[in-house]
Amino acid sequence: MNTQISSTPLTVVGAGPAGIHAAYAAAQAGVDVTVIDENQFPGGQYYHQAPPEIKVPRNCLHVEADSLYALLDHSKIRMLNNRVVWGVFEER
């Protein structure tokens, strides 16, 4: 598996409603954005998701989420699902 990710000026960790809106606002301002989320689909805890072992079609999750998901269909937003973000800092 290739774990290398090309760089963007902004990375948003978490594709819940706040992360999606932050990414969209930045993209509307002309910034290339990468959104990283550990779940199979965006939506975060707001749209509770089944564990990965249970395959649920995206269109069965929540109809009202469609307008939120549509924000991610911006040409300046790249979505990376099923990913975990780690931070390692020298001070600690």
Side-chain angles (χ1 to χ4, degrees):
M1 175 193 334
N2 183 0
T3 58
Q4 214 170 16
I5 298 172
S6 61
S7 178
T8 56
L10 177 64
T11 299
V12 174
V13 178
I20 291 172
H21 282 282
Y24 182 74
Q28 287 291 93
V31 178
D32 289 319
V33 183
T34 299
V35 180
I36 302 174
D37 194 82
E38 67 181 336
N39 292 305
Q40 182 178 5
F41 300 112
Q45 292 301 312
Y46 189 73
Y47 301 109
H48 290 282
Q49 300 181 34
E53 305 83 50
I54 300 173
K55 301 297 180 200
V56 178
R58 180 176 174 165
N59 62 357
C60 291
L61 293 176
H62 288 277
V63 174
E64 68 270 13
D66 287 345
S67 62
L68 182 66
Y69 296 149
L71 298 179
L72 293 171
D73 290 334
H74 195 287
S75 64
K76 293 201 161 284
I77 298 175
R78 181 175 62 167
M79 183 71 213
L80 300 176
N81 291 6
N82 297 315
R83 307 286 170 79
V84 176
V85 176
W86 285 78
V88 178
F89 304 94
E90 255 183 69
E91 314 75 72
R92 302 202 178 184

